[in-house]
């Protein structure tokens, strides 16, 4: 066994060495292709696809180069954005080279033979869509609208519709324009790009914040809003036959069902709306190989066998393939499971950026075709990004007729010439491309004569046509209340679902609309229930993801609707609905929680599976509102809960405890009756939480119990940790004495470390002297915590540095993060003294490159012990990062692209401040009582902020207690890991890579 492992390791090392010789990088996500570029004809021969399919070339260089976005017009002509200026943009003074071209097959042989330049001189253009008599183009910071006014296929006018799109990360710019079922223009962009999107013609527009998100723009009203928040770098959005939206994403999980108003897990940073208290997950039950996905498409064409209907296709840029996943309904959402590699290029240059169903019903793939999958790596190559290639492929189904002729578009196609009746008929077409194109044209015509025809189709048995007709009635401005009432009881759940959604989209909380939603809330189908919750959110907040209510919306009585939803059997087990009920409830709770609390008491919510989560969130929101009157209501609610309602009592107590972090806010009404009843509760968990809360609110009995628990060596670790965390929010002499006593004890390290950090928060004049006097007896791990604590207050830091200066403490014992915080202190005296004691930590950039090269040789040469590497990674890496589910979430998951190659990993470890993703900056806070804390910002509400630092260590600080807060130029990740012994460094690096 040992011989086999050593042989495998040797073979792996050989692969690494040869990869460096050929391409200077390991074979990984960022590695370039190891083979030369193939001609289009050679590349075509290399593809493997399922039996009965063929990959055919529609266009290639020189007719198309660096294609980044594509769409079709009414005639079935393909429009492509060529992104020559990626990633840096055009140099100052030079004419930008990006352009929009039109590709057309005029002779029906399947290959483009006509190329027209519609617009040029663009700079970092990344999105395109046709509609409303022109062409929408995304070119950050603008959403542009081009028109061809004389029909010569050349743009002759340009308008800026919206502005403020970010340019921070050049492979996360706005992208993937698509018309949604509701008639809005949808787009996405990634987590490390920050946008504040505004209407340039409206001086009063405060802008809409957009980070990782799916957003939408209404072409008539010019309203812009975030449709759903989260993921990482979503590139591609598409809808299934029922109008559910999906995105593919990078680094984290690859596929998300983006419910309207959902706030989803994200690669970094915080969502702009801080009061959801929950992030929704992806829908995958697996992980594909590697981590960069683009161009999601739900197949709804008419060219493939029936079993492909509804299948998800997405390009994997790093794997040079297109994967096929299957969607299985799960309540109001889905589970995505792997089916097969639909396309495998067997060519490392294949970069499938967009996958779409075309007018022929086949899947079209836009291929960036470059040896590098990511621009960061191309930047290190003198040749850089390839500027010579690009391909457009079609994957057609020929069955048992190889070579069968399948034209890229129906002969003579020009849907703009169809009359209204013909367009309505096309809404029932077997190919979704024709349905969507017909809807788009009908939206623009807004022809009143189409209304009876659309209603006729809506009443028919054509399933695709029915929902398309319904969508068109809404998007063309022809939908009225009578139609909504009529179809609220339709036999098809999808029609009832969109009845609820359109009620919310109209945003008018009329009695008729509210009555309709209440009826639909009782619908047994989960998608209908989800749509009702979404509609209520729009009614009361004026938006899907932020709160902008009008006076009219504030008065909407949605309580009965939410009550009906909450009473649905097992609704708490649905993956999205409980979240959306809270999102609908939150605006009202923030104004007045009394109705919600009263309803919970009156309706016996102990039997409802999601009631615990709702009560926890209500308590959190009350605390975040910083109103003692509302907190009194919370106390009254807890008093009114039945004694046997232990799960609800625990949820409420935990919500209140969590809400006290940062700054304690006690109710003005005495909670003594509540504390007396709950601290003696028969359920030990209830009693323990009540003691925590009582101590926070100054209850003497609870405080004594908490201190006794801290000192009780027989108590469970979890109970003692909770007690210490509560104690850290008190500054009483009794608490300080208990924590000082704990710091001098033989308590287990986890408890000791938590006690030391709590002591750092509580403070005390003699704390530094006591901790320094015990330095010699502390373990190395405890010394790291003590050093960390001593560096948080000025007088403690002076004593700490004096101990180092007089040789009581060896400087080599101090961890790099502590040294860095001291060197970067805004107190000049501390910074200067630290420099004298520790020297410089950060080398010049040239020195960093030299150091990386040296360390590469150390890693490449010498014996490797992966087990030892794991132990080192646990101590150094897993205090901040996760790998295969183990570790903390202070920094990015190491399963992502950061460990994709030795070069990438060494750069991230040795020079973590070279590139700092937004959301991973080190935020430094000084409090009014003289404490300094830092970490990654993970929560930012109106009243408090939460930081995460190595450990993981959590700091919650009330904004009212902050003296200063700044975002450092440094990453949360410390420098200096390369200073460990060579063998340890080599083992750690190989473990992470392996």
């Amino acid at each position: 066994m040992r011989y086999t492992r050593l042989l495998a390791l040797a073979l792996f090392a050989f692969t690494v060495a040869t990869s460096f010789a050929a391409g200077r990088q390991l074979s990984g996500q960022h590695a370039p292709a190891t083979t030369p570029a193939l001609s289009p004809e050679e590349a075509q021969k290399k593809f493997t696809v399922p039996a009965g399919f063929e990959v055919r070339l529609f266009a290639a260089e020189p007719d198309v180069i660096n294609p980044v976005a594509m769409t079709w017009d009414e005639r079935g002509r393909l429009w492509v954005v060529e992104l020559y200026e990626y990633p840096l943009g055009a140099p100052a003074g030079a004419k930008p080279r990006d352009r929009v071209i039109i590709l057309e097959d005029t002779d029906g042989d399947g290959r483009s033979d006509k190329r027209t330049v519609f617009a040029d001189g663009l700079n970092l253009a990344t999105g395109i869509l046709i509609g409303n008599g022109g062409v929408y183009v995304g070119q950050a910071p603008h959403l542009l609208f081009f028109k061809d006014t004389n029909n010569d296929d050349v743009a002759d006018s340009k308008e800026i519709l919206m502005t403020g799109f970010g340019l921070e990360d050049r492979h996360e710019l706005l992208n993937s324009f698509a018309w949604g079922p509701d008639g809005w223009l949808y787009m996405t962009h990634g987590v490390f790009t920050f946008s504040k999107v505004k209407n340039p013609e409206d001086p009063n527009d405060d802008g809409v914040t957009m980070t990782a998100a799916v957003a939408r723009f209404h072409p008539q009203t010019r309203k812009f809003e975030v449709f759903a928040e989260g993921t990482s770098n979503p590139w591609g959005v598409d809808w299934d036959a029922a109008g559910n939206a999906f995105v593919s994403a990078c680094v984290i999980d690859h596929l998300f069902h983006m419910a309207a108003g959902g706030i989803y897990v994200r690669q970094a940073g915080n969502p702009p709306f801080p009061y959801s208290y929950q992030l929704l997950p992806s829908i995958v039950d697996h992980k594909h190989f590697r981590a960069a996905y683009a161009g999601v498409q739900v197949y709804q064409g008419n060219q493939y066998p029936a079993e492909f209907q509804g299948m998800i296709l997405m390009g994997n840029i790093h794997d040079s393939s297109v994967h096929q996943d299957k969607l299985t309904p799960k309540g109001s959402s889905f589970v995505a499971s792997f089916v097969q590699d639909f396309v495998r290029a067997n060519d490392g240059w294949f970069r499938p950026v967009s996958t779409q169903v075309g007018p022929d019903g086949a899947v079209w793939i836009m291929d960036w075709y470059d040896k590098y999958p990511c621009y960061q790596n191309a930047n290190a190559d003198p040749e850089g990004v390839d500027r010579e290639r690009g391909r457009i492929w079609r994957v057609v189904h020929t069955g048992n007729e190889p070579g069968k002729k399948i034209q890229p578009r129906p002969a003579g196609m020009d849907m703009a010439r169809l009359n209204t009746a013909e367009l309505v008929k096309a809404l029932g077409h077997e190919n979704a491309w024709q349905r969507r194109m017909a809807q788009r044209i009908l939206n623009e015509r807004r022809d009143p004569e189409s209304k009876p025809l659309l209603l006729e189709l809506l009443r028919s048995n054509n399933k695709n046509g029915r929902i398309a007709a319904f969508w068109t009635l809404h998007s063309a401005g022809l939908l009225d209340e009578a139609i909504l009432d009529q179809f609220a009881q339709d036999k098809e759940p999808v029609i009832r679902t969109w009845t609820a959604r359109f009620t919310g989209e109209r945003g008018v909380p009329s009695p008729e609309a509210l009555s309709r939603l209440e009826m639909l809330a009782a619908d047994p189908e989960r998608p209908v229930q989800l749509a009702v919750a979404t509609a209520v959110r729009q009614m009361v907040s004026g938006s899907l993801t932020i709160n902008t209510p009008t006076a009219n919306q504030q008065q909407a009585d949605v309580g009965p609707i939410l009550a009906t939803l909450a009473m649905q059997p097992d609704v708490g087990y649905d993956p999205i609905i409980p979240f959306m009920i809270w999102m609908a409830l939150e605006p009202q709770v923030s104004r007045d929680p009394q109705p919600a609390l009263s309803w919970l008491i009156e309706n016996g919510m102990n039997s409802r599976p999601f009631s615990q989560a709702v009560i926890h969130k209500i308590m959190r929101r009350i605390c975040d509102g910083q109103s003692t009157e509302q907190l009194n209501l919370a106390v009254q609610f807890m008093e009114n809960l039945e004694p046997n309602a232990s799960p609800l009592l625990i949820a409420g107590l935990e919500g209140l405890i969590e809400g006290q972090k940062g700054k304690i806010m006690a109710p003005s009404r005495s909670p003594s009756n509540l504390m007396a009843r709950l601290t003696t509760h028969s359920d030990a968990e209830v009693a323990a939480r009540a003691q925590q809360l009582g101590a926070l609110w100054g209850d003497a009995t609870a405080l004594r119990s908490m201190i006794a628990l801290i000192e009780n060596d027989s108590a469970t670790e979890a109970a003692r940790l909770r007690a210490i965390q509560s104690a850290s929010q008190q500054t009483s002499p009794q608490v300080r004495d208990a924590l000082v006593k704990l710091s001098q004890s033989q308590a287990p390290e986890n408890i000791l470390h938590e006690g030391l950090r709590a002591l750092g928060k509580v403070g005390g004049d003699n704390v530094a002297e006591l901790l320094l006097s015990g330095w010699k007896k502390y373990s190395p791990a405890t010394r790291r915590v003590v050093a960390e604590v001593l560096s948080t207050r000025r007088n403690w830091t002076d004593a700490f540095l004096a101990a180092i200066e007089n040789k009581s403490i060896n400087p080599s014992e101090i961890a790099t993060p502590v040294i860095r915080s001291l060197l970067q202190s805004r107190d000049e005296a501390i910074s200067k003294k630290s420099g004298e004691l520790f020297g410089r930590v950060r080398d010049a950039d040239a020195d960093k490159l030299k150091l990386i090269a040296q360390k590469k040789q150390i890693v490449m040469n010498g014996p490797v012990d992966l087990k030892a590497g794991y132990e080192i990674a646990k101590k150094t890496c897993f205090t901040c990062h996760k790998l295969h589910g183990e570790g903390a979430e202070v920094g990015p998951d190491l399963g992502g692209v950061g460990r994709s190659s030795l070069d990438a990993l060494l750069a991230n470890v040795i020079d973590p401040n070279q590139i700092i993703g937004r959301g991973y900056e080190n935020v430094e806070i000084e409090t009014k009582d003289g404490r300094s804390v830092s970490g990654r910002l993970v929560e930012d509400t109106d009243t408090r902020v939460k930081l995460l630092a190595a450990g993981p260590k959590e700091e919650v600080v009330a904004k009212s207690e902050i003296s200063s807060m700044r975002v450092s130029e440094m990453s949360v990740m410390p420098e200096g890991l390369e200073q460990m012994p060579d063998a340890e460094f080599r083992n750690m690096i190989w473990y992470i890579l392996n």
Side-chain angles (χ1 to χ4, degrees):
M1 176 66 74
R2 176 173 174 78
Y3 173 79
T4 303
R5 289 178 178 172
L6 289 173
L7 178 60
L9 186 59
L11 290 172
F12 186 45
F14 175 77
T15 302
V16 171
T18 54
S19 295
F20 274 117
R24 301 191 298 132
Q25 295 203 38
L26 280 168
S27 55
Q29 280 94 330
H30 285 168
T34 57
T35 55
L38 300 176
S39 68
E41 292 73 24
E42 292 172 324
Q44 187 173 9
K45 296 174 184 177
K46 299 276 285 184
F47 283 109
T48 52
V49 289
F53 288 87
E54 296 178 12
V55 179
R56 296 181 180 175
L57 183 68
F58 178 73
E61 65 272 8
D63 290 336
V64 59
I65 297 172
N66 295 134
V68 71
M70 67 179 182
T71 191
W72 288 267
D73 63 16
E74 303 91 335
R75 293 159 56 185
R77 300 185 302 173
L78 187 69
W79 295 58
V80 176
V81 174
E82 295 184 317
L83 181 58
Y84 291 89
E85 299 300 349
Y86 177 77
L88 300 179
K95 181 181 178 180
R97 297 170 295 171
D98 293 352
R99 56 195 173 200
V100 175
I101 62 172
I102 309 170
L103 299 175
E104 186 176 4
D105 171 19
T106 63
D107 58 12
D109 67 350
R111 288 287 297 269
S112 171
D113 50 55
K114 182 179 180 182
R115 177 180 185 272
T116 306
V117 177
F118 174 78
D120 61 6
L122 301 175
N123 192 19
L124 294 175
T126 51
I128 186 170
L129 197 62
I130 294 172
N132 296 296
V135 181
Y136 297 88
V137 174
Q139 178 188 271
H142 306 311
L143 171 61
L144 303 173
F145 188 60
F146 289 90
K147 276 191 173 182
D148 166 20
T149 59
N150 58 3
N151 298 316
D152 64 351
D153 286 334
V154 177
D156 43 41
S157 75
K158 179 176 73 174
E159 180 183 4
I160 299 175
L161 299 178
M162 303 298 289
T163 192
F165 293 97
L167 283 153
E168 290 86 349
D169 192 322
R170 301 300 171 83
H171 66 290
E172 296 196 357
L173 303 177
L174 73 161
N175 65 83
S176 305
F177 290 6
W179 291 114
D182 49 17
W184 292 56
L185 190 164
Y186 281 72
M187 64 194 74
T188 69
H189 82 44
V191 68
F192 296 124
T193 297
F194 182 84
S195 297
K196 195 77 168 179
V197 184
K198 302 180 179 181
N199 181 345
E201 296 182 357
D202 182 359
N204 298 316
D205 189 351
D206 294 329
V208 174
T209 299
M210 179 183 179
T211 57
V214 177
R216 61 180 186 173
F217 169 78
H218 197 284
Q220 278 76 41
T221 65
R222 294 201 178 186
K223 179 179 180 180
F224 181 92
E225 70 172 351
V226 170
F227 175 79
E229 287 276 355
T231 78
S232 56
N233 179 18
W235 198 282
V237 57
D238 194 29
W239 294 263
D240 66 7
N244 292 293
F246 300 87
V247 300
S248 52
C250 298
V251 182
I252 60 176
D253 288 344
H254 61 272
L255 187 64
F256 289 78
H257 167 213
M258 302 296 278
I263 301 178
Y264 290 79
V265 296
R266 48 199 293 130
Q267 183 184 351
N270 306 299
F273 181 74
Y275 301 116
S276 67
Y277 305 125
Q278 178 188 358
L279 298 177
L280 295 171
S282 74
I283 60 171
V284 302
D285 64 2
H286 65 293
K287 290 183 182 292
H288 289 302
F289 180 62
R290 299 181 179 167
Y293 304 91
V296 68
Q297 183 74 183
V298 184
Y299 185 78
Q300 297 170 74
N302 62 341
Q303 214 269 315
Y304 289 5
E307 61 264 27
F308 282 85
Q309 282 296 315
M311 290 290 182
I312 290 273
L313 302 172
M314 74 210 82
N316 186 332
I317 295 170
H318 286 158
D319 193 39
S320 300
S321 61
V322 175
H323 300 310
Q324 178 184 336
D325 280 12
K326 177 183 179 180
L327 295 173
T328 302
K330 181 183 180 182
S332 65
S333 190
F334 301 87
V335 174
S337 305
F338 179 60
V339 176
Q340 64 179 337
D341 286 340
F342 181 64
V343 174
R344 179 155 289 282
N346 305 302
D347 174 10
W349 288 65
F350 177 68
R351 309 295 180 199
V353 178
S354 180
T355 303
Q356 299 183 43
V357 172
D360 55 353
V363 170
W364 294 51
I365 301 172
M366 185 176 64
D367 178 6
W368 174 261
Y369 207 78
D370 195 315
K371 69 178 177 180
Y372 286 105
C374 292
Y375 76 81
Q376 294 98 325
N377 303 80
N379 286 345
D381 190 324
E383 298 176 5
V385 173
D386 186 275
R387 311 285 182 191
E388 299 178 356
R389 297 173 179 85
R391 286 95 192 261
I392 308 293
W393 306 97
R394 297 164 59 226
V395 184
V396 300
H397 183 258
T398 58
N400 57 4
E401 302 178 67
K404 177 181 176 182
K405 183 175 182 179
I406 300 171
Q407 294 186 352
R409 59 179 176 176
M413 167 178 274
D414 189 350
M415 293 187 68
R417 294 181 178 273
L418 299 181
N419 61 36
T420 296
E422 291 169 326
L423 286 171
V424 171
K425 181 179 179 181
L427 292 174
H429 200 282
E430 292 180 342
N431 186 13
W433 189 96
Q434 276 80 359
R435 298 198 298 270
R436 294 175 176 182
M437 183 63 70
Q439 180 181 350
R440 196 262 288 172
I441 298 171
L442 287 166
N443 292 347
E444 296 166 11
R445 289 186 184 177
R446 304 178 84 82
D447 180 3
E449 294 184 4
S450 67
K451 185 173 182 177
L453 299 173
L454 290 168
L455 286 171
E456 182 181 353
L457 180 57
L458 181 53
R459 296 186 184 103
S460 73
N461 293 320
N462 185 319
K463 189 170 184 178
N464 288 330
R466 295 193 71 217
I467 188 59
F470 203 20
W471 290 336
T472 306
L473 282 165
H474 169 77
S475 56
L478 301 172
L479 191 62
D480 56 42
E481 296 291 315
I483 297 173
L484 290 171
D485 282 336
Q486 179 181 354
F487 289 94
Q489 300 185 60
D490 192 84
K491 62 181 179 180
E492 293 290 343
V494 66
I495 300 295
R496 304 197 301 274
T497 296
W498 280 94
T499 300
R501 280 290 309 280
F502 288 149
T503 301
E505 289 286 307
R506 293 163 73 82
V508 180
S510 65
E512 294 79 11
L514 296 177
S515 176
R516 183 185 313 122
L517 288 177
E518 186 175 355
M519 180 193 72
L520 289 166
D523 196 291
E525 295 290 334
R526 295 296 187 212
V528 181
Q529 297 166 17
L530 174 61
V532 170
T534 304
V536 172
R537 169 73 183 182
Q538 290 174 294
M539 290 284 190
V540 299
S541 71
S543 172
L544 288 166
T545 58
I546 58 175
N547 284 338
T548 56
T550 66
N552 186 38
Q553 286 166 322
Q554 288 184 10
Q555 300 304 314
D557 182 13
V558 297
I561 304 170
L562 295 178
T564 303
L565 283 175
M567 297 294 285
Q568 287 277 21
D570 297 328
V571 71
Y573 297 114
D574 188 88
I576 303 178
I577 293 174
F579 175 93
M580 291 307 303
I581 290 177
W582 166 248
M583 290 292 286
L585 186 62
E586 182 277 331
Q588 296 206 358
V589 169
S590 67
R591 293 192 296 271
D592 179 10
Q594 181 63 71
L597 294 174
S598 297
W599 186 89
L600 287 169
I601 290 292
E602 293 165 4
N603 288 274
M605 287 304 292
N606 192 32
S607 62
R608 303 299 164 190
F610 77 107
S611 57
Q612 297 167 51
V614 171
I615 289 171
H616 185 280
K617 290 177 179 180
I618 290 175
M619 297 300 142
R620 279 290 315 273
R621 191 66 184 92
I622 287 173
C623 293
D624 280 338
Q626 291 288 292
S627 165
T628 54
E629 291 182 4
Q630 290 191 1
L631 193 56
N632 291 338
L633 295 176
V635 172
Q636 182 180 350
F637 170 79
M638 297 295 291
E639 289 176 344
N640 290 335
L641 283 176
E642 294 293 331
N644 62 351
S646 290
L648 300 188
L649 288 167
I650 292 171
L653 289 167
E654 289 182 339
L656 290 168
I657 292 168
E658 176 67 23
Q660 302 300 308
K661 289 183 178 179
K663 185 177 182 179
I664 296 172
M665 183 185 70
S668 58
R669 173 192 175 202
S670 173
S672 57
N673 290 338
L674 176 66
M675 292 298 106
R677 181 163 68 93
L678 295 188
T679 53
T680 57
H681 198 279
S682 59
D683 188 313
E685 287 294 306
V686 173
R689 302 301 194 281
Q691 287 176 356
Q692 277 185 272
L693 183 60
L696 291 173
W697 283 347
D699 182 84
T701 302
L703 186 59
R704 286 194 298 271
S705 298
M706 183 179 68
I707 291 172
L709 187 57
I710 292 173
E711 298 174 344
N712 185 357
D713 293 336
S714 300
T716 65
E717 180 178 298
R720 295 183 76 185
L721 289 175
R722 282 199 301 267
I724 293 168
Q725 289 159 3
S726 295
S728 69
Q729 296 175 257
Q730 298 281 355
T731 57
S732 69
Q734 303 98 306
V735 167
R736 184 178 292 106
D737 291 346
L739 293 174
V740 167
K741 182 178 179 181
L742 179 64
S743 73
Q744 308 298 305
S745 72
Q746 300 298 314
E749 280 198 340
N750 277 355
I751 293 172
L752 178 58
H753 294 174
E754 195 67 31
L756 288 166
R757 292 186 176 114
L759 193 55
K761 296 177 183 179
V762 172
D765 293 335
N766 64 340
V767 168
E769 180 183 350
L770 287 169
L771 295 183
L772 289 170
S773 67
W775 182 270
K776 299 296 184 184
K777 69 178 183 180
Y778 289 137
S779 70
T782 302
R783 288 176 187 174
R784 284 196 292 270
V785 178
V786 170
E788 179 187 294
V789 169
L790 291 175
S791 64
T792 60
R793 293 178 182 269
R794 171 60 198 265
N795 59 331
W796 296 358
T797 303
D798 287 339
F800 180 42
L801 293 176
I804 296 172
E805 187 175 23
N806 66 29
K807 311 300 183 185
S808 298
I809 295 176
N810 190 327
S812 65
E813 297 179 281
I814 311 305
T816 301
V818 174
I819 296 174
R820 187 177 70 177
S821 71
L822 293 170
L823 290 170
Q824 294 173 353
S825 172
R826 280 177 280 181
D827 187 311
E828 291 185 7
I830 290 176
S831 178
K832 181 180 178 182
K833 175 59 70 175
S834 300
E836 294 170 359
L837 295 173
F838 299 110
R840 295 172 68 249
V841 172
R842 179 167 172 80
D843 300 314
D845 289 342
D847 291 337
K848 286 290 182 184
L849 294 174
K850 182 180 178 181
L851 181 59
I852 289 171
Q854 292 171 348
K855 286 295 179 180
K856 183 190 296 185
Q857 293 305 311
I858 290 170
V859 171
M860 294 293 295
N861 297 284
V864 176
D865 185 337
L866 294 181
K867 183 177 180 181
Y870 167 70
E871 295 300 327
I872 296 164
K874 276 204 304 184
K875 297 176 183 177
T876 57
C877 306
F878 295 174
T879 58
C880 287
H881 301 275
K882 272 190 173 181
L883 181 60
H884 304 310
E886 181 178 0
E889 295 182 332
V890 181
D893 193 313
L894 294 178
V897 296
R899 66 175 186 131
S900 59
S901 69
L902 181 57
D903 278 355
L905 182 57
L906 289 174
N908 286 331
V909 168
I910 296 172
D911 195 9
N913 299 302
Q914 180 184 18
I915 300 175
I916 305 172
R918 190 179 185 93
Y920 288 107
E921 307 97 334
N922 193 45
V923 176
E924 299 171 348
I925 291 176
E926 288 188 6
T927 64
K928 291 177 181 178
D929 67 348
R931 202 161 61 95
S932 300
V933 296
S934 64
R936 178 167 74 91
L937 184 67
V938 296
E939 182 182 311
D940 185 1
T941 72
D942 293 336
T943 57
R944 73 183 201 175
V945 296
K946 182 189 290 186
L947 304 180
L948 276 185
K953 180 181 66 174
E954 177 187 286
E955 294 279 0
V956 181
V957 184
K959 287 188 172 178
S960 62
E961 298 300 315
I962 294 175
S963 173
S964 66
M965 184 171 80
R966 74 184 184 103
V967 178
S968 167
E969 295 179 357
M970 296 296 190
S971 164
V972 176
M973 181 172 172
E975 295 182 331
L977 288 179
E978 74 281 355
Q979 296 173 11
M980 69 176 65
D982 289 349
E984 292 185 9
F985 186 80
R986 178 169 53 248
N987 291 336
M988 178 189 73
I989 293 295
W990 275 110
Y991 172 75
I992 297 171
L993 282 172
N994 198 48

